[in-house]
Amino acid sequence: MPRWKALPDELDPQVREFASQLRRLVDRSGLSVAAVAERTGYSRTSWERYLAGRLLAPKAAVLALAEVTGTSPVHLTTMWELAERAWSRSEQRHERMTEAARADRARTAPGASGPARPTGPPADEGAAERRPPRAPGPPSGRHRRRIVMFLAGVIGALLVITSAVLLTDLGRSDDQPRAAPSPSRSASASAPALPAGVKCVAAFCTGQDPELMGCTDKLVQTVGSAKVGASVVEVRYSRICRAAWARLKQVAPGDRVEISAPAAAGYRVVADAYRDTYTRMLAVQGPAGARACATLKSGRSGCAAGRAAAGPSGAATGGRPGGSGTTTTGQ
């Protein structure tokens, strides 16, 4: 009995090819759908839908699958982008067909006034699909009254707010200092732009691949390390991205490494080859809040705690983070 059911016939070719590629990756890994769910952090139900073509997998899930199966994410990401565009086109076509069907039912409904309209496409076909014909008579009058009442309420509220602001300004003496601007506005107004190639910062980096997000080449530091058997587990920290990840060096297949931080869900990866392995990122307040732990297939385990990072002069910059399918040097 085959493992997979046939994909739906109505799938776009790009989506069909992408779903088939996901199935091939799972088959080659030898993992069950439940094991894939446990190692990627997405539920079994979600993966069953992704692999059946009923739902397009999010990009983060695709990157997690690439990490678990030791697949290069570059080609897989390209396939996902093509499938995502095809999926969006299919959804738009479905919405247009639904709107057209509603408009057609409204034209042919009993009691509709006026002569029957031709069944061919109107001159402004897009407008006809988006906006069903408006019925004449009392409903339009009620609609106008609701708009007038709504506008009257909005104008009244604006007048009350304006009066309160004017009274507040008049009641303040000239020697009273004005309120300082909101810290959030000041911070956002003065926040510097990210360097070229950096694609995330702080919370937006959580769950992302540090190499794909450009966090590995800007003031990257190893802020904690520990020897575990013949391996070395490290806490890696990017000052630009304000995020940390764990790296395991001198790896054997089956070894595990995990990054964690207080009050945050961690990320774990299992090595599938004799290559340096790294996890996805966690946003942290500072390097001292991160902790990397390794559990070797031999049973030995150990952890490294992050410590305060050195200044720019002592930063260990450059280098890639290491990872499944990637051998790193010079870090």
Side-chain angles (χ1 to χ4, degrees):
M1 182 177 180
R3 182 179 184 183
W4 308 110
K5 293 183 180 180
L7 292 168
D9 295 334
E10 64 271 15
L11 278 183
D12 184 278
Q14 298 281 10
V15 180
R16 177 182 294 274
E17 176 59 25
F18 179 66
S20 299
Q21 178 63 16
L22 295 183
R23 289 180 172 187
R24 286 192 289 270
L25 291 179
V26 175
D27 286 337
R28 285 202 297 266
S29 70
L31 298 173
S32 64
V33 176
V36 170
E38 179 183 357
R39 298 186 183 189
T40 59
Y42 289 79
S43 69
R44 177 175 178 174
T45 301
S46 297
W47 274 113
E48 288 174 346
R49 292 173 179 172
Y50 303 155
L51 296 169
R54 297 197 301 271
L55 191 65
L56 183 67
K59 188 175 182 180
V62 175
L63 293 175
L65 180 64
E67 188 175 8
V68 166
T69 58
T71 305
S72 172
V74 178
H75 177 63
L76 198 59
T77 300
T78 301
M79 292 186 66
W80 176 85
E81 291 173 350
L82 295 174
E84 195 275 337
R85 286 196 287 268
W87 190 277
S88 297
R89 289 194 299 269
S90 298
E91 287 183 336
Q92 292 171 2
R93 284 196 298 269
H94 177 72
E95 290 175 359
R96 287 197 296 268
M97 292 174 63
T98 302
E99 290 295 331
R102 290 175 181 170
D104 193 49
R105 285 197 298 269
R107 286 195 297 268
T108 58
S113 60
R117 298 182 65 181
T119 57
D124 185 7
E125 184 175 357
E129 290 176 341
R130 292 191 300 269
R131 186 171 57 251
R134 186 170 56 190
S140 296
R142 289 197 300 269
H143 184 66
R144 283 196 296 271
R145 285 195 296 273
R146 286 197 297 268
I147 292 176
V148 171
M149 293 176 65
F150 173 76
L151 291 176
V154 171
I155 293 172
L158 290 175
L159 289 174
V160 171
I161 294 172
T162 303
S163 300
V165 171
L166 291 175
L167 290 173
T168 302
D169 286 339
L170 290 173
R172 184 195 298 119
S173 62
D174 292 339
D175 58 349
Q176 287 179 313
R178 293 184 176 270
S182 170
S184 60
R185 292 184 181 178
S186 300
S188 61
S190 60
L194 292 177
V198 178
K199 302 177 182 177
C200 71
V201 65
F204 295 100
C205 291
T206 294
Q208 300 293 342
D209 185 296
E211 185 173 351
L212 294 180
M213 293 295 104
C215 296
T216 61
D217 298 324
K218 307 292 181 183
L219 299 182
V220 178
Q221 296 176 272
T222 297
V223 295
S225 64
K227 189 83 170 175
V228 183
S231 303
V232 177
V233 61
E234 298 176 340
V235 179
R236 297 281 281 167
Y237 176 69
S238 169
R239 295 178 60 193
I240 293 296
C241 297
R242 301 210 300 270
W245 61 94
R247 179 172 67 179
L248 186 62
K249 302 169 67 175
Q250 302 174 16
V251 182
D255 292 348
R256 294 180 297 172
V257 61
E258 180 178 3
I259 186 70
S260 62
Y267 291 99
R268 181 181 64 186
V269 64
V270 179
D272 64 344
Y274 292 93
R275 303 165 183 160
D276 291 358
T277 300
Y278 67 99
T279 68
R280 286 175 279 171
M281 292 187 285
L282 269 182
V284 292
Q285 294 296 325
R291 181 179 176 87
C293 293
T295 302
L296 306 186
K297 190 175 181 180
S298 63
R300 302 192 66 171
S301 63
C303 297
R307 60 183 181 275
S313 61
T317 59
R320 304 174 68 187
S324 299
T326 302
T327 301
T328 61
T329 59
Q331 298 183 59

